[in-house]
Amino acid sequence: MSSESTYTTAQLQALDTAHYLHPFTDHKDLGERGTRIIERAEGVYLWDSEGRQILDAMAGLWCVNIGYGRRELAEAAFKQMIELPYYNSFFQCANPPAVKLAAAIAELAPPHMNHVFFTGSGSEANDTVLRMVRRYWDLKGKPGKKTIIGRINGYHGSTVAAASLGGMAPMHAQGDLPIPGIVHIAQPYWFEEGGDMTPDEFGIWAARQLEEKIRELGEDKVAAFIAEPIQGAGGVIVPPATYWPEIKRILSEHDILLVVDEVICGFGRTGEWFGSQYFDLQPDLMPIAKGMTSGYLPMGGVIVGDRVARTLIDEGGEFFHGYTYSGHPVAAAVALENLRILRDEKIVDYVKNEAAPYLQKKIAELADHRLVGEVRGVGLLGAIELVKNKATRERFAEKGSTGSLCRDICVSNGLVMRAVGDTMIMSPPLVISIAEIDELVAKIRLCLDLTAEQLGV
Ligand code: PXG
């Protein structure tokens, strides 16, 4: 039994199995293996209910940007909860933290983006995107422009609209998704799908799928293109250098909105405040969440560019959309304090100038390992492709099993990384120190060795 808990790990696991339905989980398997109970955290480390220390190379679920244990955020929440724990932003009302947060985000966003619609999560942000995009074209007198083009293996959340915008086949297979009016094009995943093309050739090819899809559907039917700057849940897929410039060229020739999903890339992950700034994109809408509060409380939103905002405001009348918790004062107070810390402690600069160059250099050295086919990354995002044959990019039999094996070995050795198929991915807190990066990379190498040993290669 841990010192802080009146329950043993076994008791918690039994209650969990009896009552708790987890997200994205095979419960039979979980019941057999037993849930890992995470009890506390500090900096980049977690401790489980057995007192084991684990280096969290995923920042929770891509969200704990400022690291764990920052009392300032707890104090901001406490203070706000005493002052005003809840009030809505409907019916001509607002609360001070939500107003200040909208202004603070507008300040950080690209210059043409000056408004924010608040939600409770990234999925709600993308549901908002769908309704806002269609509302925009209605107001512009083009109600036929309804279709949104997303990408295969993109991830935009788990609600009906967000899962439809995403391109995850296993999600679509459960519940008759996507809903009508959403189509998908190929992803810019050179390592898996590039064949004999060079990365640059493949980047152009993948971007031109957008042009073809627009031609096929007719520009008068297409409302928007949605994409993550770098696919996160899909496997930290950094597009070839040619991809985004070619997408920009295509969009410049068509009257279609660009939605850049910043839920993972936003708030410093790439070494810029937003992934759009990293790739020099001019989005019309940017869904945000995760790093907005560093995950300390749930909150999301959509940053809205002037083109769409002015239309909604000047021509739209009432937009029948919103959530009970849109602009929640406690979440907004925590987000404001989170942004203050990111700014005052120059954490985004630290990522750009110190942590990211160091992490990328150190993980690149792992490319010499016999299991590793490619290492890639941007900012504090990284991916390691596990392969049987480095030269041909051939995978081991039973796709995904090597990734799962490596992930389990990582956890047993005090390291959390995610496996997406046979791709190991990382997204550590932005405050990870140079010494902690050394520890992370040493642990990864050890776990790659142990994985190779188990595979007998
Ligand atoms: N957009 C992107 C780009 C995301 O990564 C969402 C939207 C949805 O956000 P909410 O707050 O509704 O979860 C996400 C979420 C994984 C994993 O396995 C990734 C996410 C969520 C759950 C699991 O990597 N990203």
Side-chain angles (χ1 to χ4, degrees), residues 61-62 121-123 126 155-157 228 233 261 263-264 289-290 418:
L61 207 43
W62 322 82
S121 69
S123 297
N126 279 315
Y155 190 82
H156 300 295
E228 302 153 80
D261 186 333
V263 168
I264 285 178
K290 294 194 191 271
R418 284 247 297 109

Side-chain angles (χ1 to χ4, degrees), residues 192-214:
E192 189 73 26
E193 298 172 3
D196 293 334
M197 284 186 252
T198 65
D200 281 353
E201 287 165 357
F202 180 71
I204 298 281
W205 177 87
R208 293 206 178 142
Q209 299 307 298
L210 176 62
E211 199 165 41
E212 269 186 33
K213 186 58 82 178
I214 295 168

Side-chain angles (χ1 to χ4, degrees), residues 19 22 37 81 94 104 140 157 269 272 298 303-304 335 362 369 373 382 413 424 451:
H19 301 293
H22 293 241
I37 310 285
M81 228 182 252
K140 285 287 157 207
R269 179 61 53 198
E272 303 289 342
I303 310 180
V304 184
K362 296 306 282 187
H369 195 278
N413 285 276
M424 302 308 298
T451 304

Side-chain angles (χ1 to χ4, degrees), residues 1 9 11 25 33 102 105 153 155 207 237 333 339 347 359 363 428:
M1 192 183 298
T9 301
Q11 283 171 326
T25 293
R33 288 153 65 101
I105 290 173
N153 203 35
Y155 190 82
I237 296 158
L339 295 186
I347 291 171
L359 177 82
I363 62 172

